[in-house]
Amino acid sequence: MFKDWTDGGTSEPKGVPSVNLRAKISGSVAILVVVAGLLPAASASGNPRSPIDDKRAEAANLSRQIDAANSKINDLSQRVDAAESKLENAEKNITITEARTEAAQEASDALHDQVSAQAASVYMGAAASSPLDMINIKDIQELATRSQYAAAATDHDNQLLNKYQKAREVLAAQRSRLEKERAEAQHQENIAISARRQAQATENNLKSVLAQTNADIKNMIDEQHRQELAAQQAAARAQSNDFSNGGGGGGGAIPANFPNVPAPSSAAAVAVAYAERQVGKPYVFATHGPNTFDCSGLTGEAWAVAGHPLTFYSGAQYQETIRIGPGDLRPGDLVFYGPGGSRHVEIYIGGGQVVSAADPQDGVIVAGVRYGSASGYGRVP
């Protein structure tokens, strides 16, 4: 509890460098909420590691493993893409080869039919009474010329048939090679897909373990906060009893009638009542109600409802209030922390207690005044 969350506002107190604190840190508060809230800073050098430190190291290691698994998945996805590309090219070339093989077969069949027809014609002519009558030639010279042409045509047809036959053989070999390429590409794709599936399962498992580890860290932090709050509340009750019994270990700095001092004015009573009604609401940086508050948003809004608006910045509220001592605290007074009240502000409600928009983990709570670490006390004029 009480991280001394630096408070931001719309104006700066005198003597403080002119910077817009709300603007400068608003971008980093979300990171602080998640990282500092769930994963506290490591133990100082030389100090023994706490269970939370060990859990945080475990979470960091899991994150590194998840990054490695993700990188492996990306590499395997590239392998799958490459295998798919090879498979696609093999299938495309097989289709082309099939078309060429079919065309060669059709041409070979057509030529074969033509040769067969010519052979049948010659066979039928040989059966005639006079081959010369079938050919219908005028003289022997023309017969010789036609015989030479027929021989040349037959030789040409035979060459074409051989060419088509060789083309079919080449295409068949090419088809066989492409089939092997396709099978190999399919095999490589299956291997890559299987490996990627395993890597994805590993990554999912690591993410599940990391989520549980982060939940464990949050529970440990919450328990630590509960223990701190209980200790502070116990200390406040003990201090209250001490002063009520006339102890006053502060040299009379705390009033003798502590802790039942009434509000000094109706406005202070209104401010205190408003603050008490907000207990249990969430802390959200740079808000002042009605559903969420930061520290100066709570104190500023409480006094605005009471008719005395204050700037929504703890350092400005320090400048806008009158300095008093811890022994002069009355309900409605403000308790500041940090140089010039720049880190935190709470509203005193009596009994050694304050209402404080503490931090994102605890929200708006009732707690004891931290007299030892407060930097000042102020009363609204």
Coordinates of all heavy atoms in Angstrom, one line a residue, residues 95-187:
T95 N 0.2 -31.2 -65.2 CA -0.9 -30.9 -66.1 C -0.5 -30.5 -67.5 O -1.0 -31.0 -68.5 CB -1.7 -29.7 -65.5 OG1 -2.2 -30.0 -64.2 CG2 -2.9 -29.3 -66.4
I96 N 0.6 -29.7 -67.6 CA 1.1 -29.4 -69.0 C 1.7 -30.6 -69.7 O 1.4 -30.8 -70.9 CB 2.3 -28.3 -68.8 CG1 1.7 -27.0 -68.3 CG2 3.0 -28.1 -70.2 CD1 2.7 -26.0 -68.0
T97 N 2.4 -31.5 -68.9 CA 2.9 -32.7 -69.5 C 1.8 -33.6 -70.0 O 1.9 -34.3 -71.1 CB 3.8 -33.4 -68.5 OG1 4.9 -32.5 -68.1 CG2 4.4 -34.7 -69.1
E98 N 0.8 -33.8 -69.2 CA -0.3 -34.6 -69.6 C -1.0 -34.1 -70.9 O -1.3 -34.9 -71.8 CB -1.4 -34.6 -68.5 CG -0.9 -35.4 -67.3 CD -2.0 -35.3 -66.1 OE1 -2.8 -34.4 -66.2 OE2 -1.9 -36.2 -65.2
A99 N -1.1 -32.8 -71.0 CA -1.7 -32.2 -72.3 C -0.8 -32.5 -73.5 O -1.3 -32.9 -74.6 CB -1.9 -30.7 -72.1
R100 N 0.5 -32.4 -73.3 CA 1.4 -32.6 -74.4 C 1.5 -34.1 -74.8 O 1.5 -34.4 -76.0 CB 2.8 -32.2 -74.0 CG 3.0 -30.6 -73.9 CD 4.4 -30.2 -73.5 NE 4.5 -28.8 -73.5 CZ 5.6 -28.1 -73.0 NH1 6.6 -28.8 -72.5 NH2 5.6 -26.8 -73.0
T101 N 1.4 -35.0 -73.8 CA 1.4 -36.4 -74.0 C 0.1 -36.8 -74.8 O 0.2 -37.6 -75.8 CB 1.4 -37.2 -72.7 OG1 2.6 -36.8 -72.0 CG2 1.4 -38.7 -72.9
E102 N -1.0 -36.2 -74.4 CA -2.2 -36.5 -75.1 C -2.2 -36.0 -76.6 O -2.6 -36.7 -77.5 CB -3.4 -35.8 -74.4 CG -4.8 -36.1 -75.0 CD -5.9 -35.5 -74.2 OE1 -5.6 -34.9 -73.1 OE2 -7.0 -35.6 -74.6
A103 N -1.6 -34.8 -76.8 CA -1.5 -34.3 -78.2 C -0.6 -35.2 -79.0 O -0.9 -35.5 -80.2 CB -1.0 -32.9 -78.1
A104 N 0.5 -35.6 -78.5 CA 1.4 -36.5 -79.2 C 0.8 -37.9 -79.5 O 0.9 -38.4 -80.6 CB 2.7 -36.8 -78.4
Q105 N 0.0 -38.4 -78.6 CA -0.7 -39.6 -78.8 C -1.8 -39.5 -79.9 O -1.9 -40.4 -80.8 CB -1.4 -40.1 -77.5 CG -2.0 -41.5 -77.6 CD -1.0 -42.5 -77.9 OE1 0.0 -42.7 -77.2 NE2 -1.2 -43.4 -78.9
E106 N -2.5 -38.4 -79.9 CA -3.5 -38.1 -80.9 C -2.9 -38.0 -82.3 O -3.4 -38.6 -83.3 CB -4.3 -36.9 -80.6 CG -5.2 -37.0 -79.4 CD -5.9 -35.8 -79.0 OE1 -5.6 -34.7 -79.7 OE2 -6.8 -35.8 -78.1
A107 N -1.7 -37.3 -82.4 CA -1.1 -37.1 -83.7 C -0.5 -38.5 -84.2 O -0.6 -38.8 -85.4 CB 0.1 -36.1 -83.5
S108 N 0.0 -39.2 -83.2 CA 0.6 -40.5 -83.6 C -0.5 -41.5 -84.1 O -0.4 -42.2 -85.1 CB 1.3 -41.2 -82.4 OG 1.8 -42.4 -82.7
D109 N -1.7 -41.4 -83.4 CA -2.8 -42.3 -83.8 C -3.3 -41.9 -85.2 O -3.6 -42.7 -86.0 CB -3.9 -42.2 -82.7 CG -3.5 -42.8 -81.4 OD1 -2.6 -43.6 -81.4 OD2 -4.2 -42.5 -80.4
A110 N -3.4 -40.6 -85.4 CA -3.9 -40.1 -86.7 C -3.0 -40.5 -87.8 O -3.4 -41.0 -88.9 CB -4.0 -38.6 -86.7
L111 N -1.7 -40.4 -87.6 CA -0.7 -40.8 -88.6 C -0.7 -42.3 -88.9 O -0.7 -42.8 -90.0 CB 0.7 -40.3 -88.2 CG 1.8 -40.6 -89.2 CD1 1.5 -40.0 -90.6 CD2 3.2 -40.2 -88.7
H112 N -0.9 -43.0 -87.8 CA -1.0 -44.5 -87.9 C -2.2 -44.9 -88.7 O -2.1 -45.8 -89.6 CB -1.0 -45.1 -86.5 CG -1.0 -46.6 -86.5 ND1 0.1 -47.3 -86.7 CD2 -2.0 -47.5 -86.3 CE1 -0.2 -48.6 -86.7 NE2 -1.5 -48.7 -86.4
D113 N -3.3 -44.2 -88.5 CA -4.5 -44.5 -89.3 C -4.3 -44.2 -90.7 O -4.7 -44.9 -91.6 CB -5.7 -43.7 -88.7 CG -6.1 -44.2 -87.3 OD1 -5.7 -45.3 -86.9 OD2 -6.8 -43.4 -86.6
Q114 N -3.6 -43.1 -91.0 CA -3.3 -42.7 -92.4 C -2.4 -43.7 -93.1 O -2.7 -44.1 -94.2 CB -2.6 -41.3 -92.4 CG -2.3 -40.8 -93.8 CD -1.6 -39.5 -93.8 OE1 -1.7 -38.8 -92.8 NE2 -1.0 -39.1 -94.9
V115 N -1.4 -44.2 -92.4 CA -0.5 -45.2 -93.0 C -1.2 -46.5 -93.2 O -1.1 -47.2 -94.2 CB 0.7 -45.4 -92.0 CG1 1.6 -46.6 -92.5 CG2 1.6 -44.1 -92.0
S116 N -2.0 -46.8 -92.2 CA -2.8 -48.1 -92.4 C -3.7 -48.0 -93.6 O -3.9 -49.0 -94.3 CB -3.6 -48.3 -91.1 OG -2.8 -48.5 -90.0
A117 N -4.3 -46.8 -93.8 CA -5.2 -46.6 -94.9 C -4.5 -46.8 -96.3 O -5.0 -47.4 -97.2 CB -5.9 -45.3 -94.9
Q118 N -3.3 -46.2 -96.3 CA -2.5 -46.3 -97.5 C -2.1 -47.7 -97.7 O -2.1 -48.2 -98.9 CB -1.2 -45.4 -97.3 CG -1.5 -43.9 -97.3 CD -0.3 -43.1 -97.1 OE1 0.8 -43.6 -96.7 NE2 -0.4 -41.8 -97.2
A119 N -1.7 -48.4 -96.7 CA -1.3 -49.9 -96.9 C -2.5 -50.7 -97.4 O -2.4 -51.6 -98.3 CB -0.8 -50.4 -95.5
A120 N -3.7 -50.4 -96.9 CA -4.9 -51.1 -97.3 C -5.2 -50.8 -98.8 O -5.6 -51.7 -99.6 CB -6.1 -50.7 -96.5
S121 N -4.9 -49.6 -99.2 CA -5.2 -49.2 -100.6 C -4.2 -50.0 -101.5 O -4.7 -50.5 -102.6 CB -5.0 -47.7 -100.8 OG -5.1 -47.4 -102.1
V122 N -3.0 -50.1 -101.1 CA -2.0 -50.8 -102.0 C -2.4 -52.3 -102.0 O -2.3 -52.9 -103.1 CB -0.6 -50.6 -101.4 CG1 0.4 -51.5 -102.1 CG2 -0.2 -49.1 -101.5
Y123 N -2.8 -52.8 -100.9 CA -3.2 -54.2 -100.8 C -4.4 -54.5 -101.8 O -4.4 -55.5 -102.5 CB -3.5 -54.6 -99.4 CG -4.0 -56.0 -99.3 CD1 -3.1 -57.1 -99.3 CD2 -5.4 -56.3 -99.2 CE1 -3.6 -58.4 -99.1 CE2 -5.9 -57.6 -99.1 CZ -5.0 -58.6 -99.0 OH -5.4 -59.9 -98.9
M124 N -5.3 -53.6 -101.8 CA -6.5 -53.8 -102.6 C -6.1 -53.7 -104.1 O -6.6 -54.4 -105.0 CB -7.6 -52.7 -102.3 CG -8.2 -52.9 -100.9 SD -9.3 -51.6 -100.5 CE -10.6 -51.9 -101.8
G125 N -5.2 -52.8 -104.4 CA -4.7 -52.6 -105.8 C -4.0 -53.8 -106.3 O -4.0 -54.2 -107.5
A126 N -3.3 -54.5 -105.4 CA -2.5 -55.7 -105.8 C -3.4 -56.8 -106.2 O -3.1 -57.7 -107.0 CB -1.6 -56.1 -104.6
A127 N -4.6 -56.8 -105.7 CA -5.6 -57.8 -106.1 C -6.3 -57.6 -107.5 O -6.9 -58.5 -108.0 CB -6.6 -58.0 -105.0
A128 N -6.1 -56.5 -108.0 CA -6.8 -56.2 -109.3 C -6.1 -56.9 -110.5 O -4.9 -57.4 -110.3 CB -6.7 -54.6 -109.6
S129 N -6.8 -57.0 -111.6 CA -6.2 -57.8 -112.8 C -5.0 -57.1 -113.3 O -4.1 -57.7 -113.8 CB -7.3 -57.9 -113.8 OG -7.8 -56.6 -114.2
S130 N -5.1 -55.7 -113.2 CA -3.9 -55.0 -113.8 C -3.7 -53.8 -112.9 O -4.5 -52.9 -112.8 CB -4.2 -54.5 -115.2 OG -3.2 -53.7 -115.6
P131 N -2.5 -53.8 -112.1 CA -2.2 -52.7 -111.3 C -2.1 -51.4 -112.0 O -2.4 -50.3 -111.5 CB -0.8 -53.1 -110.7 CG -0.8 -54.6 -110.8 CD -1.6 -54.9 -112.0
L132 N -1.8 -51.5 -113.4 CA -1.7 -50.3 -114.1 C -3.0 -49.6 -114.3 O -3.2 -48.4 -114.4 CB -1.1 -50.6 -115.5 CG 0.4 -51.1 -115.5 CD1 0.9 -51.4 -116.9 CD2 1.3 -50.1 -114.8
D133 N -4.1 -50.5 -114.4 CA -5.5 -49.9 -114.6 C -5.9 -49.2 -113.3 O -6.6 -48.2 -113.4 CB -6.4 -51.1 -114.8 CG -6.2 -51.7 -116.2 OD1 -5.6 -51.0 -117.1 OD2 -6.6 -52.9 -116.4
M134 N -5.5 -49.7 -112.2 CA -5.9 -49.1 -110.9 C -5.2 -47.8 -110.7 O -5.7 -46.8 -110.2 CB -5.5 -50.0 -109.7 CG -6.3 -51.3 -109.7 SD -8.1 -50.9 -109.4 CE -8.0 -50.2 -107.8
I135 N -3.9 -47.7 -111.1 CA -3.2 -46.5 -111.0 C -3.6 -45.5 -112.1 O -3.5 -44.3 -111.9 CB -1.6 -46.8 -111.1 CG1 -1.3 -47.7 -109.9 CG2 -0.8 -45.5 -111.0 CD1 0.2 -48.2 -109.9
N136 N -4.0 -46.0 -113.2 CA -4.4 -45.2 -114.3 C -3.3 -44.3 -114.8 O -3.5 -43.0 -114.9 CB -5.7 -44.4 -114.0 CG -6.3 -43.8 -115.2 OD1 -6.2 -44.3 -116.3 ND2 -7.1 -42.7 -115.0
I137 N -2.2 -44.9 -115.2 CA -1.1 -44.1 -115.7 C -1.0 -44.3 -117.2 O -1.5 -45.2 -117.8 CB 0.2 -44.6 -115.0 CG1 0.5 -46.1 -115.3 CG2 0.2 -44.3 -113.5 CD1 1.8 -46.6 -114.8
K138 N -0.3 -43.3 -117.8 CA -0.2 -43.3 -119.2 C 1.0 -44.1 -119.8 O 1.0 -44.6 -120.8 CB -0.2 -41.9 -119.8 CG -1.5 -41.1 -119.5 CD -1.4 -39.7 -120.0 CE -2.7 -39.0 -119.7 NZ -2.6 -37.6 -120.2
D139 N 2.0 -44.0 -119.0 CA 3.2 -44.7 -119.5 C 4.1 -45.2 -118.3 O 3.8 -44.9 -117.1 CB 4.0 -43.8 -120.4 CG 4.3 -42.4 -119.7 OD1 4.5 -42.4 -118.4 OD2 4.4 -41.4 -120.4
I140 N 5.1 -45.9 -118.6 CA 6.0 -46.4 -117.6 C 6.7 -45.4 -116.8 O 7.0 -45.5 -115.6 CB 7.0 -47.4 -118.3 CG1 6.2 -48.6 -119.0 CG2 8.0 -47.9 -117.3 CD1 5.4 -49.4 -118.0
Q141 N 7.0 -44.3 -117.5 CA 7.8 -43.2 -116.8 C 6.9 -42.6 -115.7 O 7.5 -42.4 -114.6 CB 8.1 -42.1 -117.8 CG 8.8 -40.9 -117.2 CD 10.2 -41.3 -116.7 OE1 10.9 -42.1 -117.3 NE2 10.6 -40.7 -115.5
E142 N 5.7 -42.4 -115.9 CA 4.8 -41.9 -114.8 C 4.7 -42.9 -113.7 O 4.6 -42.6 -112.5 CB 3.4 -41.6 -115.4 CG 2.5 -41.0 -114.3 CD 1.1 -40.6 -115.0 OE1 1.0 -40.8 -116.2 OE2 0.2 -40.2 -114.2
L143 N 4.7 -44.2 -114.0 CA 4.6 -45.3 -113.0 C 5.9 -45.2 -112.1 O 5.8 -45.3 -110.9 CB 4.5 -46.6 -113.7 CG 4.5 -47.8 -112.7 CD1 3.4 -47.8 -111.7 CD2 4.5 -49.1 -113.5
A144 N 7.0 -45.0 -112.7 CA 8.2 -44.9 -111.9 C 8.2 -43.7 -111.0 O 8.6 -43.8 -109.8 CB 9.4 -44.9 -112.9
T145 N 7.7 -42.6 -111.5 CA 7.7 -41.4 -110.7 C 6.8 -41.6 -109.5 O 7.1 -41.2 -108.3 CB 7.2 -40.2 -111.5 OG1 8.1 -40.0 -112.6 CG2 7.1 -38.9 -110.7
R146 N 5.6 -42.2 -109.7 CA 4.7 -42.4 -108.6 C 5.2 -43.4 -107.6 O 5.0 -43.2 -106.4 CB 3.3 -42.9 -109.1 CG 2.6 -41.8 -109.9 CD 1.2 -42.3 -110.2 NE 0.5 -41.3 -110.9 CZ -0.8 -41.3 -111.2 NH1 -1.6 -42.3 -110.7 NH2 -1.4 -40.4 -111.9
S147 N 5.9 -44.3 -108.0 CA 6.5 -45.3 -107.1 C 7.5 -44.7 -106.2 O 7.6 -44.9 -105.0 CB 7.2 -46.5 -107.9 OG 6.2 -47.1 -108.7
Q148 N 8.4 -43.8 -106.8 CA 9.4 -43.0 -106.0 C 8.7 -42.1 -104.9 O 9.1 -42.0 -103.8 CB 10.2 -42.2 -106.9 CG 11.2 -43.1 -107.8 CD 11.9 -42.2 -108.8 OE1 11.8 -41.0 -108.8 NE2 12.8 -42.9 -109.6
Y149 N 7.6 -41.5 -105.3 CA 6.9 -40.6 -104.4 C 6.2 -41.4 -103.3 O 6.3 -41.0 -102.1 CB 5.8 -39.8 -105.2 CG 4.9 -39.0 -104.3 CD1 5.4 -37.7 -103.8 CD2 3.7 -39.5 -103.8 CE1 4.6 -37.0 -103.0 CE2 2.9 -38.7 -103.0 CZ 3.4 -37.4 -102.6 OH 2.6 -36.7 -101.7
A150 N 5.7 -42.5 -103.6 CA 5.1 -43.4 -102.6 C 6.1 -43.9 -101.6 O 5.9 -43.9 -100.4 CB 4.4 -44.6 -103.2
A151 N 7.3 -44.2 -102.1 CA 8.4 -44.7 -101.2 C 8.8 -43.5 -100.2 O 9.0 -43.7 -99.0 CB 9.5 -45.2 -102.0
A152 N 8.9 -42.3 -100.8 CA 9.3 -41.2 -100.0 C 8.3 -40.8 -99.0 O 8.6 -40.5 -97.8 CB 9.6 -40.0 -100.9
A153 N 7.0 -40.9 -99.3 CA 5.9 -40.6 -98.4 C 5.9 -41.6 -97.3 O 5.7 -41.3 -96.1 CB 4.6 -40.6 -99.1
T154 N 6.1 -42.9 -97.6 CA 6.2 -43.9 -96.6 C 7.3 -43.7 -95.6 O 7.2 -43.8 -94.4 CB 6.3 -45.3 -97.2 OG1 5.2 -45.5 -98.1 CG2 6.3 -46.4 -96.2
D155 N 8.5 -43.3 -96.1 CA 9.6 -43.1 -95.3 C 9.4 -41.9 -94.4 O 9.7 -41.9 -93.2 CB 10.9 -42.8 -96.2 CG 12.1 -42.6 -95.3 OD1 12.5 -43.6 -94.6 OD2 12.7 -41.5 -95.4
H156 N 8.7 -40.8 -94.9 CA 8.4 -39.7 -94.1 C 7.4 -40.0 -93.0 O 7.6 -39.6 -91.8 CB 7.8 -38.6 -95.0 CG 7.4 -37.3 -94.3 ND1 8.3 -36.5 -93.7 CD2 6.1 -36.8 -94.0 CE1 7.6 -35.5 -93.1 NE2 6.3 -35.7 -93.3
D157 N 6.4 -40.8 -93.3 CA 5.5 -41.2 -92.3 C 6.1 -42.0 -91.2 O 5.8 -41.9 -90.0 CB 4.4 -42.1 -93.0 CG 3.5 -41.2 -93.9 OD1 3.5 -40.0 -93.7 OD2 2.7 -41.8 -94.7
N158 N 7.1 -42.9 -91.6 CA 7.8 -43.7 -90.6 C 8.6 -42.8 -89.7 O 8.7 -43.1 -88.5 CB 8.7 -44.8 -91.3 CG 7.8 -45.9 -91.9 OD1 6.7 -46.1 -91.5 ND2 8.4 -46.5 -92.9
Q159 N 9.2 -41.8 -90.2 CA 10.0 -40.9 -89.4 C 9.1 -40.1 -88.4 O 9.5 -39.9 -87.3 CB 10.7 -39.8 -90.3 CG 11.9 -40.5 -91.1 CD 12.6 -39.4 -92.0 OE1 12.3 -38.2 -91.9 NE2 13.5 -39.9 -92.9
L160 N 7.9 -39.7 -88.9 CA 7.0 -39.0 -88.0 C 6.5 -39.9 -86.9 O 6.5 -39.5 -85.7 CB 5.8 -38.5 -88.8 CG 6.0 -37.2 -89.6 CD1 4.8 -36.9 -90.4 CD2 6.4 -36.1 -88.7
L161 N 6.3 -41.2 -87.2 CA 5.8 -42.1 -86.2 C 6.9 -42.3 -85.1 O 6.6 -42.4 -83.9 CB 5.5 -43.5 -86.8 CG 4.2 -43.5 -87.6 CD1 4.0 -44.9 -88.3 CD2 3.0 -43.3 -86.6
N162 N 8.2 -42.4 -85.6 CA 9.3 -42.5 -84.6 C 9.4 -41.3 -83.8 O 9.7 -41.4 -82.6 CB 10.6 -42.8 -85.4 CG 10.7 -44.2 -86.0 OD1 10.0 -45.1 -85.6 ND2 11.4 -44.3 -87.1
K163 N 9.2 -40.1 -84.4 CA 9.3 -38.9 -83.6 C 8.2 -38.8 -82.5 O 8.5 -38.4 -81.4 CB 9.2 -37.7 -84.6 CG 9.3 -36.3 -83.9 CD 9.2 -35.2 -84.9 CE 9.3 -33.9 -84.3 NZ 9.1 -32.8 -85.2
Y164 N 7.0 -39.2 -82.9 CA 5.9 -39.2 -81.9 C 6.2 -40.2 -80.8 O 5.9 -39.9 -79.7 CB 4.6 -39.4 -82.6 CG 4.1 -38.3 -83.5 CD1 3.5 -38.5 -84.7 CD2 4.3 -37.0 -83.1 CE1 3.1 -37.5 -85.5 CE2 3.8 -35.9 -83.9 CZ 3.2 -36.2 -85.1 OH 2.8 -35.2 -85.9
Q165 N 6.7 -41.3 -81.2 CA 7.0 -42.3 -80.2 C 8.1 -41.8 -79.2 O 7.9 -42.0 -78.0 CB 7.5 -43.6 -80.9 CG 7.9 -44.7 -80.0 CD 6.8 -45.2 -79.1 OE1 5.6 -45.2 -79.6 NE2 7.1 -45.6 -77.9
K166 N 9.1 -41.2 -79.7 CA 10.2 -40.6 -78.9 C 9.6 -39.5 -78.0 O 10.0 -39.4 -76.8 CB 11.3 -40.1 -79.7 CG 12.1 -41.2 -80.3 CD 13.3 -40.6 -81.2 CE 14.1 -41.7 -81.8 NZ 15.2 -41.2 -82.6
A167 N 8.7 -38.7 -78.5 CA 8.1 -37.6 -77.7 C 7.3 -38.2 -76.6 O 7.4 -37.7 -75.5 CB 7.2 -36.8 -78.6
R168 N 6.6 -39.3 -76.9 CA 5.8 -39.9 -75.8 C 6.7 -40.5 -74.7 O 6.4 -40.4 -73.5 CB 4.9 -41.0 -76.4 CG 3.7 -40.5 -77.2 CD 2.6 -41.5 -77.4 NE 3.1 -42.8 -77.9 CZ 3.2 -43.1 -79.2 NH1 2.9 -42.2 -80.1 NH2 3.6 -44.3 -79.5
E169 N 7.8 -41.1 -75.1 CA 8.8 -41.6 -74.2 C 9.4 -40.5 -73.3 O 9.5 -40.7 -72.1 CB 9.9 -42.4 -74.9 CG 9.4 -43.7 -75.6 CD 10.4 -44.3 -76.4 OE1 11.5 -43.7 -76.5 OE2 10.2 -45.4 -77.0
V170 N 9.7 -39.4 -73.9 CA 10.3 -38.3 -73.2 C 9.3 -37.7 -72.2 O 9.6 -37.4 -71.0 CB 10.8 -37.2 -74.1 CG1 11.2 -35.9 -73.3 CG2 12.0 -37.7 -74.9
L171 N 8.1 -37.5 -72.7 CA 7.0 -37.0 -71.8 C 6.7 -37.9 -70.7 O 6.4 -37.5 -69.5 CB 5.8 -36.7 -72.6 CG 5.9 -35.5 -73.6 CD1 4.7 -35.5 -74.6 CD2 6.0 -34.2 -72.9
A172 N 6.8 -39.2 -70.9 CA 6.5 -40.2 -69.8 C 7.6 -40.1 -68.8 O 7.3 -40.2 -67.5 CB 6.4 -41.6 -70.4
A173 N 8.8 -39.9 -69.2 CA 9.9 -39.8 -68.2 C 9.8 -38.5 -67.4 O 10.0 -38.5 -66.2 CB 11.3 -39.8 -69.0
Q174 N 9.4 -37.4 -68.1 CA 9.2 -36.2 -67.5 C 8.0 -36.3 -66.5 O 8.1 -35.7 -65.4 CB 8.9 -35.1 -68.5 CG 8.7 -33.7 -67.9 CD 8.5 -32.6 -69.0 OE1 8.9 -32.8 -70.1 NE2 8.0 -31.5 -68.6
R175 N 7.0 -36.9 -66.8 CA 5.8 -37.1 -65.9 C 6.3 -37.9 -64.7 O 5.9 -37.6 -63.6 CB 4.7 -37.9 -66.7 CG 3.6 -38.4 -65.8 CD 2.8 -37.2 -65.2 NE 1.7 -37.7 -64.3 CZ 0.5 -37.9 -64.8 NH1 0.2 -37.7 -66.0 NH2 -0.4 -38.4 -63.9
S176 N 7.1 -38.9 -64.9 CA 7.6 -39.7 -63.7 C 8.4 -38.8 -62.8 O 8.3 -38.9 -61.6 CB 8.4 -40.9 -64.2 OG 8.9 -41.6 -63.1
R177 N 9.3 -38.0 -63.4 CA 10.1 -37.1 -62.5 C 9.2 -36.1 -61.8 O 9.4 -35.8 -60.6 CB 11.1 -36.4 -63.4 CG 12.0 -35.3 -62.7 CD 13.0 -34.7 -63.6 NE 12.3 -34.0 -64.7 CZ 11.8 -32.8 -64.6 NH1 11.7 -32.2 -63.5 NH2 11.2 -32.3 -65.7
L178 N 8.2 -35.5 -62.4 CA 7.4 -34.6 -61.8 C 6.5 -35.2 -60.7 O 6.2 -34.6 -59.7 CB 6.5 -33.9 -62.9 CG 7.2 -33.0 -63.8 CD1 6.2 -32.5 -64.9 CD2 7.7 -31.7 -63.1
E179 N 6.1 -36.4 -60.9 CA 5.4 -37.2 -59.9 C 6.2 -37.3 -58.6 O 5.7 -37.1 -57.5 CB 4.9 -38.5 -60.4 CG 3.9 -38.5 -61.5 CD 2.5 -38.2 -60.9 OE1 2.4 -38.0 -59.7 OE2 1.5 -38.2 -61.7
K180 N 7.5 -37.6 -58.8 CA 8.4 -37.7 -57.7 C 8.6 -36.4 -57.0 O 8.6 -36.3 -55.7 CB 9.8 -38.2 -58.1 CG 9.7 -39.7 -58.6 CD 11.1 -40.2 -59.0 CE 11.1 -41.6 -59.4 NZ 12.4 -42.1 -59.9
E181 N 8.7 -35.3 -57.8 CA 8.8 -34.0 -57.2 C 7.6 -33.6 -56.4 O 7.7 -33.0 -55.3 CB 9.1 -32.9 -58.3 CG 10.5 -33.0 -58.9 CD 10.7 -31.9 -60.0 OE1 9.7 -31.1 -60.2 OE2 11.7 -31.9 -60.6
R182 N 6.4 -33.9 -56.9 CA 5.2 -33.6 -56.2 C 5.1 -34.4 -54.9 O 4.7 -33.9 -53.9 CB 4.0 -34.0 -57.1 CG 2.7 -33.7 -56.4 CD 1.5 -33.8 -57.4 NE 1.3 -35.2 -57.9 CZ 0.4 -35.6 -58.7 NH1 -0.5 -34.7 -59.1 NH2 0.3 -36.8 -59.1
A183 N 5.5 -35.7 -54.9 CA 5.4 -36.5 -53.7 C 6.4 -36.0 -52.7 O 6.1 -35.9 -51.5 CB 5.8 -37.9 -54.1
E184 N 7.6 -35.5 -53.1 CA 8.6 -35.0 -52.2 C 8.1 -33.7 -51.6 O 8.2 -33.4 -50.4 CB 9.9 -34.8 -52.9 CG 11.0 -34.2 -52.0 CD 11.3 -35.0 -50.8 OE1 11.1 -36.3 -50.8 OE2 11.9 -34.5 -49.8
A185 N 7.5 -32.8 -52.4 CA 7.0 -31.5 -51.9 C 5.9 -31.8 -50.9 O 5.8 -31.1 -49.9 CB 6.5 -30.7 -53.1
Q186 N 5.0 -32.7 -51.2 CA 3.9 -33.0 -50.3 C 4.4 -33.6 -49.0 O 3.9 -33.2 -47.9 CB 3.0 -34.1 -50.9 CG 1.7 -34.4 -50.1 CD 0.8 -33.2 -50.0 OE1 0.2 -32.8 -51.0 NE2 0.7 -32.7 -48.8
H187 N 5.5 -34.4 -49.0 CA 6.1 -34.9 -47.8 C 6.7 -33.8 -47.0 O 6.5 -33.8 -45.7 CB 7.2 -35.9 -48.2 CG 7.9 -36.5 -47.1 ND1 7.3 -37.3 -46.1 CD2 9.2 -36.4 -46.7 CE1 8.2 -37.7 -45.2 NE2 9.4 -37.2 -45.6

